[in-house]
Every structure is written in structure tokens, then in C-alpha cells.
Amino acid sequence: MEDYLSQLNTAQQEPTTHVDGPLMVIAGAGSGKTRVLTYRIAYLMQKGIDSFSILALTFTNKAAREMKKRIAEIVGESESKNLWMGTFHSVFARILRAEADRLGYPSSFTIYDTQDSERLVKSIIKEMKLDSDIYKTKQIRNRISSFKNSLITVRAYHNNPELVEADREARRSAMGTIYKNYVERCFKAGAMDFDDLLLKTNELLNRFPEVLAKYQDRFRYILVDEYQDTNHSQYLIVRALADKFQNICVVGDDAQSIYAFRGANIENILNFHKDYPDAKTYRLEQNYRSTQSIVEAANSVINHNQNKLDKNVWTANEQGDKIVIHRSPTDGDEGRYVAQSIFEQAMNQQLPYQSFAILYRTNAQSRAMEDALRKRNIPYRVFGGLSFYQRKEIKDMLAYLRLIVNPKDEESLKRVINYPGRGIGQTTINKLVVAAQENDLTLFDVVDQVGTLPLTINSGTKTKLINFATLIKSFQVANASQDAFATADMVAKKTGLVQELKKEGTPEAVNRIENVEELLNGVRDFVEGQRELVDAKGSLVEFLEDVALATDFDNETPNENSVSLMTIHLAKGLEFPHVFVVGMEDDLFPSAMSMNTRAEIEEERRLFYVALTRAEKQATLTYTQCRYRWGKLNDAEPSRFLTEIDPSFIDNRVVESGYQFTPLIDTSIFGHESKSKVRLKKPPQKTVKKPPGKLKPLSSTSSSPDLDIGNIQVGSRVKHNRFGVGTIADIEGQGGDAKALIDFDGNGRKNLLLRFAKLEIL
């Protein structure tokens, strides 16, 4: 048996060495599914199966690269280069480029990202003079996206009375016309959006039997990662390609199916045996990632789902710490608790900050966390924010490059025709758009032929338009004989884009110039990398496709020593020693928009399962009594998922709010000495929301001692849970009215009422 197989346990070896016929690998969280996929491909190649005959589909480019690297170490780089391995979108884009002419597209078609699609939809809504409050750009684009992923073409839409009626009742009766115009404009611009990469592949394989036969014969062995995340369109493509030889291996975990909102269909994995009755099922149930406490707590939660495949995830790892459940008074306090915990653990255990991750249900929750981390001077990185490729100056450069390879690209042309400024105004552009539609020409054709078309544009502007067309055509001529970097470098210099930024002379402009420089560095790196690949030329078309299909984590720098902040959806596939899941409250997690049906609640529960199983050593779940929403403080209820965790794996904690009622009369009249101390007490019980169900009673973990004013004097060093360590500068008042002026290290001077201050004397 090959050496690498000895690194697998028995459960992992069985699917790895299964060669022919359909098989499904049900892989629990942290069970080594990527290793099984990787080694199975290497095993097939060592058994004499041609590497050109193997197709492996993943959900991120990063996963594909890592797998390919591991395979190369086993079978050698020359063979691993022949594998068709990548994301669904990148592999299908490659097929579509090879067969584009059958569908009437140029092989250099542009791939529109979400922002490009939204701009086109916005233009169409404006041109149709529709009410933008009813026809909201994002909603319309998302609806078009869902149509395409469900294989509802324009024709299918108009043949479906229920869809037409639903839009009419929603006062969107023009939806069908917008959809039709959008599809026609994309086709005319030689562009496909992300959803088209799936829809058009389905069209290609179903309309042209000879094309399907060609790729069925080529891809005799197909492997699909994260099969539970496939949507209907992806499912149909995989089913068609695998139909002839049925050597299909799917790997996934129904408990981690969390993308229903973007069309993922859990039924694809649940019904695999209906599609392939002879399929063999293997289960990977040993978790190598997390402690026993985390694994068993996660199991106790996911067992509440009814719609699931049977498996029993276990681990031989240590028992580990219990799951910490922590309640804070407000979201601000929650942020401070998380930041303080990270700071203390990092200091006490000498841990790098990259050991920690903060996960949340919605992006908006990052603000309180960011504020608290900043005040603690803890470095952090937010994932899922504005991507490098979405910055204006980068989009401007990319628009020029896209126009070079595809002059039909209307959105790119409109973006750069007057940037840097050439004296071509919006009125002129509107005339060009109308002329293009009336003469059935592309926008670039109109610009190029502006001297011969009957347009009411003055001669000076016509000259500027002709000069612009000549500039683009000169780039096209140069690009035909050079690589992507040489062309991009030429564009940066000759368009005047960099000079335009230099003119601004602001710090922001300097950053933008650095971003353009970084883009050129990226193009050079890409060209160098392409030299290692079979059939790759380092061309501009290849680079633009790589950019269009890039994901947030493809350019990740994992060694950067900072805390990671991201949504749970974005965290899928990642792992961290210490994980904080914040905002564990009903209406937030589970989301208020996903509590109407059992299917929705089960999806939210799977999302919580994913969050919990990202942790290797410690998981902390936090919730608040009150949370600010739209500037108002609202009561919050603990998440129902907290009650579903087996109590034997829970360590409950609560932070005191510091509230105390100040007596209105002298209590000594009742025969007891009046206390001069300011005690830190729990708030009245009626204001505390008890967690429902099985949660144990919350007990205080506050270590703050009773504060005796007699022990505090000017010069005393004290610690505050929000402002940190400081020195008493002045004290005035007595008893419950005592106030202290404190100079906090790095946080300035604060005047605090001692009965609320919750100070600790150092």
C-alpha cells in the first residue's frame, strides 16, 4: 500500500481506494474530507487513470490550489497540471470559452460580477422610466439570479403564469421585460454574469448532444466537494456529465448545508441514492479538529434537526474546556467582554492573535466588536468587506482591460470613456446608447463609426470619441503579441489614469496609486504563475477570468497576526483554536427572517453547528439582555439554540450591570448601621431575562471586590473593565455620591460616579 495511504484511518482509506462506480462520502466536521478527496485523486492516477480524465469541483479556488499542491507532492507536478480542478464557475467558464461560438458568444466574453450586473439593471430601470422605489436594483438583480439558478429562462418565465402573477401582485409587472432586456443587453455586450456560467453550461450540454458526449468521454471520473452546497443548476450539470460512466464521488455533510438563501438544495445530498441506486456510502465520523466538549455539544444541537442523514461524529481528542455561555447587559458590553477575553488569553497563554476568530450572523454586528478591539489595541481583520477588486481605481483599470479583450462590453466602455476626463459628457453618452439601440450596433461600434453616423454631436466631441476608439484599438493590437502584464502596464501609463490620481495630491490618491501598482504586481505574479501550467499563455483573457472568479479568501494572508472577524457563512471550511460566536439571541440567530418554517429553522441550526465546529480548543457563545437597533435599546431573548446544547458541556457566565438603588432615607432609623461602602449588586431580578429551557442558572463571575471609598485616594492605581488601568487624580463627595477623576492610560481623563464605576484597586 502506498505510503500516503498509511496517513489515513480505516474509514478514510475505504473511499480513497474505491475506484469505479458512484460513491458518497458523508464527512462530519473536521473529519479529514479534503485529505480523502486529495488522496483519492492521487490513488486514481497511480492506478493508471489518465489525469486528463479526472474532473474535481470545489467551492473555492483556495481549496482547489491546496488539493492540487498536495497531489503534486505525491504524483509529481507534470501530471497534476493536467487535472481539471477548480470551482464550478471556473471549470464551466473554461468549457464555455472553448464552445462559446455555439451559443453566439465570443471566446473572450466578459464575466460580469455582482456590481456590474447591478449597474446594468439600474440602467435598464432608468431607461424604462420605472419607479426605482418599487423596482429596487438589488431586489431585481437577485430575482434574475434566482431565476437563472432555477433554470427559469425569459421564455420559461413568460410561460409560467404563477411567476408573472406573483410579480404583478407585487406591483412589478415589468419584471419580465426587465429580465428580457437584461439578457439581451448582456448577450449584445458579449458578457455573462456568474449565474450564466451555470445556465449556459446547462444550455450547452442539453442543446448540443455532441458537446455533452465529448465532455462525458473526457471526464470519466468526477469528484465533487461540498455536495450539500450545490444548487439545482450545478446538480444538473454534474448529473449530465456523470451519466455515461457513473464514476462519481461526492463528498459533503448535510449538517453543514447553509446556503439555501443562494439556491443550495440539501435534497441533492439527501437523495443521492435515488439518482444512483448502486452508490456506496462511506462515513467519516472521527473529528480531528475539536475537543470532545465541542464535538458532543455540536452533536446535541444538530440532533434536533429532523431532515438529516444518520451519522455519529466523535473524537479521540482531549475532553477540553466546556462551552462558555456569557451574558452581557448590552452589545457594547458584549464587545468589551470579547476584547478583554482575547487580550487576557493572548497574554496569559502567549497566543498569537490569529488564534482567535469572532463570528456573527450579520455583518452589522462587527461594529461593536471593532470598537472594543480598537480600544484594546488588538489588531483585527474584517473579512467580507470591500474587496480589493471592488475599489474604484481597480475597477477603472479592469474596465480598460476588459474593453481590450471584448470591445462589446458596454458597461466597461461607459465606465472609462470619460475617465480620465476627455470632455465626453453624459449627454453625449446617452446619444451614443440610443444610436446603438436604433442601429443594432454595439456601443463601441457607434464610437468607432461616429464620423459616419448621423448624430447630433459637435465635431470637437466626435474627434474625442474617435481618439478614444483609436486608443483602445492600439491596445488591442499590442495585446495580440504580448502578455497580460505588458498590456496592463501600457494601459496604466497611456490612459493617463495614474497621472490623474497624481494630480489630486491627497493621501487617498496616494493610496489609490499604490493600489494600481499592487494590481500590476498581481498581473505580473499571475503571468509568472501561468508559465507553470499546461495550455496557459499568461494572456489578458486568462487574467481577467482569474480576477472575475476570485473569492474573498483567495488572497488571504493567513500569517497576519490579527483576530479574524467574519460572518458564519464566510467561516465555513476554516478553523481557529478559539472562537467567539456573538449575538446568540432569538430574532438575530436564528434570524427573524428564517423562523417561519421548519426548513428555515433547521438551516439556521445547521449554521450554528458550523459556527460551533470552527473551534478547535475553546468556543464562547455570547448574548445580551438588550441590544441597540436603529438607535433604540431593545430587550433581547437568549437564542433557542443555547437551550439545545447538552447542559453537561456548558459553563454559564454573566456580567454584573453595576446597578444599585441609592436609599432615599437614612437606613439607620431601622436599627441597622448605614453602610458607607458602595457595593456592586445585581440589577433587580425583574430586569434580568432568564434563559429558557435547559440552561443552568447563571452565576456571577465578576471578580471586582467591594469598593471601600476609604481605601481609595489620590494616586491610587485602579482598573476599569471598559477604560483599562488608570490613576486617581481627584476625589469628591461621599458615600453613594462619591466621584473620582481618573487619568486612564491611553484613554484620557474620565470623571466616574464610584457606585457605578466597578473599579478594582491595583
Side-chain angles (χ1 to χ4, degrees):
M1 188 172 281
E2 288 80 353
D3 285 341
Y4 62 90
L5 293 180
S6 63
Q7 299 175 31
L8 304 175
N9 63 32
T10 305
Q12 292 170 331
Q13 281 181 14
E14 290 176 353
T16 300
T17 55
H18 177 130
V19 177
D20 294 318
L23 67 149
M24 175 168 65
V25 182
I26 305 301
S31 61
K33 69 175 178 63
T34 305
R35 175 173 284 194
V36 167
L37 262 181
T38 305
Y39 288 179
R40 183 168 193 272
I41 293 169
Y43 185 82
L44 291 175
M45 291 166 70
Q46 289 198 331
K47 287 296 173 186
I49 291 163
D50 191 345
S51 52
F52 282 102
S53 299
I54 299 172
L55 169 64
L57 297 167
T58 66
F59 271 83
T60 66
N61 291 314
K62 185 168 177 268
R65 281 201 300 267
E66 287 175 357
M67 286 170 63
K68 214 167 196 177
K69 185 180 174 186
R70 285 196 214 174
I71 292 166
E73 290 168 0
I74 299 170
V75 301
E77 272 199 38
S78 59
E79 277 302 305
S80 68
K81 286 177 184 175
N82 302 331
L83 286 166
W84 277 58
M85 179 183 285
T87 64
F88 283 87
H89 291 91
S90 64
V91 168
F92 299 156
R94 190 173 168 187
I95 291 173
L96 286 168
R97 290 213 188 277
E99 313 290 342
D101 58 316
R102 293 176 185 269
L103 298 173
Y105 282 84
S107 61
S108 59
F109 62 80
T110 299
I111 300 173
Y112 279 178
D113 63 17
T114 303
Q115 204 175 62
D116 299 320
S117 298
E118 285 178 1
R119 284 180 64 189
L120 179 54
V121 168
K122 189 174 184 178
S123 296
I124 291 168
I125 290 169
K126 190 174 180 181
E127 289 163 21
M128 290 176 66
K129 296 182 171 57
L130 297 170
D131 186 341
S132 59
D133 289 332
I134 295 173
Y135 293 91
K136 292 185 168 68
T137 302
K138 284 192 175 181
Q139 287 181 1
I140 299 298
R141 195 213 73 85
N142 289 343
R143 190 148 172 78
I144 289 172
S145 175
S146 68
F147 286 159
K148 289 185 175 183
N149 281 317
S150 301
L151 300 186
I152 299 169
T153 59
V154 172
R155 175 178 286 186
Y157 173 84
H158 286 293
N159 289 338
N160 189 324
E162 290 180 10
L163 283 175
V164 174
E165 178 62 21
D167 280 322
R168 192 185 65 76
E169 288 182 1
R171 298 195 302 155
R172 291 193 301 251
S173 55
M175 182 69 224
T177 309
I178 296 172
Y179 187 18
K180 179 173 179 286
N181 288 345
Y182 176 82
V183 169
E184 288 175 351
R185 292 277 281 277
C186 282
F187 182 74
K188 190 175 177 182
M192 294 189 195
D193 62 24
F194 268 29
D195 305 308
D196 280 328
L197 296 178
L198 304 179
L199 180 66
K200 297 296 179 186
T201 303
N202 265 306
E203 182 182 347
L204 188 68
L205 299 180
N206 285 279
R207 275 185 56 205
F208 303 97
E210 67 278 15
V211 174
L212 175 60
K214 170 183 170 182
Y215 288 102
Q216 282 179 334
D217 282 332
R218 174 153 200 172
F219 303 132
R220 296 185 174 223
Y221 291 83
I222 298 174
L223 301 93
V224 186
D225 192 12
E226 306 285 13
Y227 191 64
Q228 77 282 348
D229 291 336
T230 53
N231 62 29
H232 186 57
S233 193
Q234 290 164 328
Y235 161 79
L236 289 172
I237 295 169
V238 171
R239 182 88 194 274
L241 290 173
D243 193 59
K244 186 173 182 181
F245 294 100
Q246 304 222 343
N247 293 322
I248 179 168
C249 167
V250 301
V251 180
D253 180 5
D254 58 301
Q256 296 185 65
S257 177
I258 60 173
Y259 292 112
F261 69 95
R262 69 181 189 200
N265 186 359
I266 192 173
E267 298 300 323
N268 293 347
I269 194 166
L270 297 178
N271 294 332
F272 186 75
H273 276 276
K274 290 183 181 176
D275 295 333
Y276 304 95
D278 298 329
K280 186 81 188 286
T281 297
Y282 299 93
R283 287 179 169 79
L284 304 182
E285 297 174 321
Q286 182 175 359
N287 180 302
Y288 288 92
R289 175 189 301 151
S290 308
T291 62
Q292 289 181 33
S293 290
I294 292 168
V295 169
E296 292 176 34
N299 285 346
S300 68
V301 172
I302 204 64
N303 283 338
H304 285 78
N305 273 10
Q306 293 181 9
N307 198 20
K308 64 181 188 296
L309 296 168
D310 290 332
K311 65 178 174 299
N312 178 37
V313 180
W314 60 279
T315 184
N317 293 346
E318 62 181 357
Q319 183 65 44
D321 295 335
K322 291 184 176 184
I323 309 294
V324 172
I325 296 182
H326 183 278
R327 183 188 74 195
S328 299
T330 68
D331 43 354
D333 293 305
E334 180 184 45
R336 287 187 285 277
Y337 165 75
V338 171
Q340 175 69 13
S341 298
I342 290 173
F343 180 78
E344 288 179 356
Q345 289 180 56
M347 293 301 107
N348 295 340
Q349 300 174 40
Q350 293 298 293
L351 298 172
Y353 283 120
Q354 68 206 44
S355 301
F356 300 89
I358 302 172
L359 310 183
Y360 33 76
R361 182 66 180 82
T362 64
N363 276 306
Q365 290 169 257
S366 76
R367 184 203 55 77
M369 297 297 138
E370 289 186 69
D371 287 350
L373 292 169
R374 270 199 306 272
K375 284 170 184 167
R376 278 270 170 205
N377 292 319
I378 295 173
Y380 65 89
R381 184 175 177 196
V382 180
F383 291 89
L386 189 65
S387 147
F388 176 79
Y389 292 109
Q390 295 299 329
R391 292 168 184 165
K392 181 190 180 300
E393 61 279 9
I394 302 303
K395 292 283 277 187
D396 291 335
M397 267 290 291
L398 292 176
Y400 273 110
L401 300 180
R402 281 162 46 159
L403 202 54
I404 292 167
V405 300
N406 178 19
K408 292 181 176 181
D409 187 347
E410 182 179 311
E411 290 305 305
S412 291
L413 189 146
K414 287 195 288 190
R415 185 177 188 102
V416 298
I417 194 168
N418 197 41
Y419 185 80
R422 296 184 177 86
I424 302 170
Q426 190 59 47
T427 303
T428 300
I429 295 170
N430 291 343
K431 288 178 182 177
L432 297 173
V433 170
V434 171
Q437 291 172 351
E438 288 178 348
N439 295 283
D440 196 25
L441 295 169
T442 68
L443 200 54
F444 187 82
D445 288 338
V446 173
V447 174
D448 194 27
Q449 300 169 31
V450 72
T452 60
L453 291 171
L455 291 169
T456 55
I457 297 174
N458 65 54
S459 59
T461 304
K462 282 186 179 180
T463 302
K464 291 168 186 170
L465 290 168
I466 292 167
N467 289 343
F468 174 74
T470 303
L471 177 70
I472 298 301
K473 286 196 284 188
S474 72
F475 290 150
Q476 289 173 328
V477 171
N479 184 55
S481 59
Q482 60 191 26
D483 64 29
F485 173 74
T487 302
D489 192 45
M490 180 188 293
V491 167
K493 290 170 181 170
K494 292 199 173 181
T495 57
L497 193 144
V498 174
Q499 289 89 324
E500 184 79 7
L501 292 171
K502 282 180 180 174
K503 276 188 215 168
E504 290 182 29
T506 62
E508 291 80 5
V510 173
N511 285 338
R512 292 193 191 111
I513 292 168
E514 288 172 354
N515 287 338
V516 172
E517 185 182 358
E518 185 58 33
L519 176 67
L520 293 175
N521 293 340
V523 181
R524 188 190 285 278
D525 287 344
F526 175 80
V527 170
E528 293 294 322
Q530 290 297 90
R531 287 177 184 160
E532 301 174 11
L533 302 179
V534 176
D535 300 331
K537 302 169 186 171
S539 68
L540 199 51
V541 170
E542 291 170 347
F543 171 72
L544 290 171
E545 181 172 313
D546 189 67
V547 169
L549 299 171
T551 60
D552 281 340
F553 282 98
D554 287 339
N555 301 297
E556 178 189 355
T557 49
N559 294 324
E560 185 180 336
N561 189 22
S562 56
V563 177
S564 297
L565 277 71
M566 68 192 83
T567 63
I568 302 163
H569 281 102
L570 209 54
K572 187 158 179 292
L574 303 177
E575 55 191 48
F576 303 90
H578 299 265
V579 170
F580 292 82
V581 187
V582 300
M584 291 298 306
E585 296 142 36
D586 269 0
D587 289 348
L588 188 56
F589 194 17
S591 165
M593 294 183 289
S594 302
M595 295 169 63
N596 300 315
T597 65
R598 178 176 295 280
E600 288 177 349
I601 283 289
E602 292 202 348
E603 169 111 351
E604 290 287 297
R605 189 176 286 113
R606 290 193 294 269
L607 188 59
F608 178 50
Y609 177 84
V610 166
L612 205 49
T613 53
R614 296 313 90 201
E616 297 171 349
K617 297 188 177 301
Q618 176 69 68
T620 302
L621 313 176
T622 69
Y623 70 100
T624 67
Q625 287 176 256
C626 303
R627 185 173 293 275
Y628 278 99
R629 289 189 179 178
W630 304 105
K632 292 182 179 177
L633 197 59
N634 297 317
D635 288 345
E637 290 285 349
S639 170
R640 66 192 66 190
F641 298 148
L642 296 180
T643 70
E644 296 175 355
I645 303 173
D646 185 328
S648 61
F649 303 115
I650 292 175
D651 174 8
N652 275 310
R653 300 183 183 181
V654 64
V655 164
E656 305 281 4
S657 71
Y659 173 85
Q660 182 195 358
F661 173 69
T662 304
L664 303 177
I665 54 178
D666 184 353
T667 56
S668 65
I669 65 172
F670 300 108
H672 297 276
E673 287 296 317
S674 184
K675 304 232 179 180
S676 61
K677 291 181 181 179
V678 177
R679 288 186 62 85
L680 299 176
K681 293 186 177 179
K682 279 189 178 181
Q685 193 61 35
K686 65 180 181 180
T687 68
V688 180
K689 294 195 172 291
K690 290 184 180 178
K694 293 184 285 186
L695 280 183
K696 294 190 293 185
L698 294 165
S699 59
S700 169
T701 60
S702 171
S703 61
S704 298
D706 292 344
L707 191 62
D708 192 330
I709 292 173
N711 292 333
I712 281 194
Q713 54 190 348
V714 174
S716 293
R717 293 285 282 170
V718 293
K719 182 180 179 183
H720 185 272
N721 69 344
R722 181 175 178 185
F723 303 121
V725 175
T727 305
I728 304 288
D730 189 26
I731 299 174
E732 63 176 76
Q734 290 184 338
D737 295 324
K739 288 184 286 188
L741 191 64
I742 307 173
D743 283 322
F744 286 102
D745 304 350
N747 263 315
R749 181 168 282 200
K750 311 286 180 187
N751 199 8
L752 304 182
L753 196 59
L754 288 177
R755 74 168 182 266
F756 293 129
K758 201 172 182 185
L759 294 174
E760 180 183 340
I761 302 172
L762 299 178

